Amino acid sequence: MAALRSGPGATGPRRRGLPAAATLLTVLLTCCVRCSAQIDKPSNIILILADDQDVHIGGMTPMKKTKALIGEAGATFVNAFTVTPLCCPSRSSILTGQYPHNHEVRNNSLSGNCSSIQWQKGPESTAFPVYLNKQKYQTFFAGKYLNQYGKKDEGEVGHVPLGWDQWHALVGNSQYYNYTLSVNGKEEKHADSYEKDYFTDLITNRSLHFLDDRSPQHPFFMMLSPPAPHSPWTAAPQYQKEFSDVKAPRGGSFDKPGKDKHWLLRQPVSPMPKTSLTFLDNAYRKRWQTLLSVDDMVELLVKKLESIKELDNTYIIYTSDNGYHTGQFSLPIDKRQLYEFDIRVPLMVRGPGIKPNQTLQAPVLNIDLAPTILDISGVNLTTLNVDGQSFLSQMAPTLRNGTARPFFLVEYTGEGHEKTDPDCPKLGPGLSQCFPDCVCEDAYNNTYACVRTLNKEHDLQYCEFADSESFVEVYNLTSDPHQLENILKSVDPAVLQAMNQRLIKLQSCQGNSCRDVK
């Protein structure tokens, strides 16, 4: 039997007994049904989550393609914040839409509830991918998940969180080579071949394969979590000589003493020794180099969406789990602090209903990502136990009505070691993240909670520490954007009292009460 031909110039048998007019009518009706189905189909969503990418000290500078393809094609939020400046609790907030005091992930350790059995049985089981899966979304994850994911006695690689159809998750913390993945619950080891193993590119390639293999009848959600620009800052071979003359920016609070700040900020030597300056400049440059592969990822994804005719029906969200610092207040490198450089994150979104080239001022938090994604998918947000709120109304007011929050919370639980760090014997036990020049970036009593207000009248931050000093820091960021002056002793006592009361409410808030603080 001869094969039927198709394509231009092809001919084939016509159905017997069906007049030409009826054939045309059938084709038109079929087209109408398919077109209607296409219009009614929920939008696709892609969340790209960088690791430790700041926005305050130039972290978006290398991302030229990303800024053009997402930011300029949609909305850029210039006041986006993490509610806690550390990877695991921040990512847990992104997944659940909850403040850390509600999902109870305190830091990056198992004892701090990072990817623990308690987390898996509790907050993880109701994270937003579970709801997307119920909405018939095809879900795909690739990259770093939570710092302790896949570890022994916590489910190992066989644990695949609910809601994910395709799962390609890194075991442990960020790496670029020589890592282990859980691929749908099976162990997959990788070595140090750039072509086969470079982690950012592997995430990109597998996401493109997913787009090729997906079912066009259902929407998809993809979460891509590359390692960049987290340490060990291993750039792709073609980018290892880029930015050779770049140094960490020297303005603002760079190498300034931590005057009138929590004791952890008062202990660094200022000005910093040359060894610290050389180290942080190298780190700054390498961080930028690693981001160039993420920039390529965004470009390849956009091109793929165009080729499969899904770009116009896809929301693409780009952000980071927390910010970063390199020399601010003489702290060499890290995050974990309450200041702008650590809590501000990049956030850009493009998609249906979002006008291009928007710069939006309303404060948005990482706990808002889950409700926003679920809002896009059609989930009734009133049925959810989230502390955040959808920001779809901010970037696409024709689709939703909404208001900006007047106040929000930033909270952090410090990490320390029971034994004295050999690099800093004079500071005693209880510290962590110490450098050879005896500067420590964290401690048990680096535990704080801040209330922040950001509006046209004023931009204030009020923070209380859980330490023996009951230390308080207050900043007017309108007049002091680099937080150089703690105004605790000069601010109106009535303002202090009001901020303290708001902080108390936010520290115990849940759901609606987190959004309704006056």
Side-chain angles (χ1 to χ4, degrees):
M1 180 178 177
L4 296 178
R5 292 184 294 161
S6 61
T11 61
R14 178 179 292 180
R15 292 181 185 176
R16 292 179 181 176
L18 192 62
T23 303
L24 178 60
L25 179 61
T26 301
V27 170
L28 289 173
L29 287 172
T30 303
C31 179
C32 288
V33 170
R34 288 177 177 169
C35 290
S36 176
Q38 184 66 26
I39 291 170
D40 293 337
K41 176 187 168 185
S43 296
N44 311 305
I45 310 164
I46 299 175
L47 172 61
I48 303 170
L49 180 65
D51 195 355
D52 284 3
Q53 186 175 13
D54 70 277
V55 70
H56 193 73
I57 57 172
M60 286 300 295
T61 304
M63 312 294 289
K64 294 180 180 179
K65 299 171 185 176
T66 302
K67 288 187 287 186
L69 294 171
I70 303 179
E72 293 174 17
T76 299
F77 290 85
V78 294
N79 289 311
F81 297 88
T82 179
V83 298
T84 188
L86 188 63
C87 301
C88 197
S90 174
R91 288 164 181 261
S92 302
S93 286
I94 290 169
L95 290 163
T96 61
Q98 295 177 340
Y99 280 116
H101 68 260
N102 286 327
H103 62 60
E104 297 184 324
V105 178
R106 295 177 295 280
N107 51 48
N108 285 345
S109 66
L110 276 176
S111 61
N113 206 24
C114 178
S115 200
S116 66
I117 297 297
Q118 179 185 345
W119 154 263
Q120 293 170 16
K121 291 182 177 179
E124 186 183 67
S125 66
T126 57
F128 76 81
V130 175
Y131 293 91
L132 288 175
N133 213 239
K134 291 178 180 178
Q135 294 287 98
K136 307 301 181 184
Y137 270 74
Q138 303 163 87
T139 55
F140 173 90
F141 180 89
K144 172 181 169 178
Y145 182 56
L146 301 174
N147 297 56
Q148 298 296 331
Y149 172 76
K151 296 298 181 68
K152 188 177 180 181
D153 301 327
E154 303 300 325
E156 299 185 315
V157 298
H159 172 66
V160 177
L162 294 174
W164 298 104
D165 297 321
Q166 292 291 321
W167 180 252
H168 305 259
L170 178 69
V171 173
N173 206 359
S174 280
Q175 293 289 327
Y176 298 81
Y177 295 108
N178 299 306
Y179 53 85
T180 299
L181 293 181
S182 169
V183 178
N184 300 321
K186 303 294 184 182
E187 183 179 82
E188 181 180 286
K189 289 189 174 292
H190 285 264
D192 56 2
S193 164
Y194 171 70
E195 291 77 12
K196 297 179 181 178
D197 305 310
Y198 189 68
F199 195 34
T200 303
D201 289 358
L202 180 141
I203 293 167
T204 303
N205 293 333
R206 294 197 179 180
S207 69
L208 299 178
H209 286 308
F210 170 77
L211 290 173
D212 283 331
D213 296 340
R214 85 206 188 287
S215 167
Q217 280 72 41
H218 296 287
F220 61 81
F221 170 77
M222 302 170 64
M223 183 170 176
L224 310 181
S225 186
H230 196 286
S231 62
W233 313 305
T234 309
Q238 67 269 29
Y239 294 134
Q240 290 179 1
K241 294 183 180 180
E242 297 293 324
F243 311 120
S244 58
D245 297 327
V246 167
K247 292 184 177 181
R250 264 44 176 180
S253 58
F254 183 85
D255 209 8
K256 294 286 196 303
K259 182 181 178 183
D260 295 328
K261 288 176 168 55
H262 182 236
W263 78 269
L264 196 64
L265 273 291
R266 301 195 298 265
Q267 47 97 23
V269 175
S270 186
M272 288 182 286
K274 186 177 179 180
T275 51
S276 291
L277 291 171
T278 300
F279 175 76
L280 68 87
D281 280 335
N282 284 335
Y284 190 89
R285 180 169 53 254
K286 289 178 180 179
R287 282 165 54 81
W288 276 20
Q289 291 170 349
T290 65
L291 284 167
L292 292 175
S293 293
V294 182
D295 209 31
D296 291 340
M297 170 191 289
V298 172
E299 180 184 40
L300 289 168
L301 276 170
V302 170
K303 286 182 176 179
K304 172 60 75 172
L305 291 169
E306 281 183 315
S307 70
I308 62 176
K309 297 181 171 41
E310 290 285 4
L311 182 59
D312 292 340
N313 191 39
T314 302
Y315 289 88
I316 307 176
I317 305 168
Y318 185 92
T319 190
S320 174
D321 52 4
N322 48 257
Y324 207 72
H325 59 258
T326 51
Q328 283 62 45
F329 294 121
S330 302
L331 295 170
I333 59 159
D334 201 45
K335 49 267 187 176
R336 307 168 204 260
Q337 308 305 330
L338 58 89
Y339 309 103
E340 293 287 275
F341 39 77
D342 285 357
I343 65 173
R344 281 186 180 267
V345 294
L347 178 59
M348 299 178 296
V349 189
R350 68 172 290 169
I354 304 176
K355 294 181 179 179
N357 288 307
Q358 293 186 76
T359 300
L360 301 179
Q361 302 290 332
V364 172
L365 310 179
N366 64 342
I367 58 172
D368 298 336
L369 288 166
T372 302
I373 289 167
L374 295 179
D375 191 11
I376 292 169
S377 76
V379 171
N380 181 353
L381 298 185
T382 62
T383 64
L384 303 178
N385 179 25
V386 294
D387 304 331
Q389 63 189 42
S390 172
F391 56 83
L392 184 57
S393 63
Q394 303 292 340
M395 56 190 178
T398 59
L399 301 181
R400 294 285 188 279
N401 294 320
T403 57
R405 57 168 54 80
F407 301 98
F408 60 90
L409 175 71
V410 176
E411 55 187 346
Y412 178 71
T413 302
E415 288 184 86
H417 301 301
E418 293 181 2
K419 295 182 179 179
T420 298
D421 192 296
D423 286 328
C424 277
K426 67 179 182 181
L427 294 177
L431 294 100
S432 64
Q433 310 300 314
C434 298
F435 289 86
D437 291 319
C438 198
V439 178
C440 296
E441 296 270 3
D442 205 4
Y444 282 132
N445 66 0
N446 184 39
T447 297
Y448 56 81
C450 306
V451 61
R452 180 67 175 273
T453 179
L454 196 160
N455 55 44
K456 293 179 181 178
E457 286 75 35
H458 48 251
D459 184 354
L460 292 176
Q461 185 180 30
Y462 172 93
C463 303
E464 295 181 359
F465 281 84
D467 63 4
S468 59
E469 297 179 297
S470 298
F471 204 81
V472 177
E473 296 186 29
V474 186
Y475 299 99
N476 181 343
L477 286 99
T478 303
S479 58
D480 179 23
H482 299 293
Q483 297 163 288
L484 300 174
E485 182 184 2
N486 181 358
I487 60 172
L488 173 66
K489 296 177 181 178
S490 60
V491 74
D492 185 343
V495 173
L496 291 179
Q497 184 177 10
M499 296 295 273
N500 168 262
Q501 292 303 306
R502 289 172 186 131
L503 182 58
I504 292 172
K505 291 178 181 178
L506 281 167
Q507 282 186 281
S508 60
C509 76
Q510 186 175 14
N512 287 335
S513 62
C514 297
R515 303 185 287 271
D516 297 335
V517 175
K518 304 299 182 185

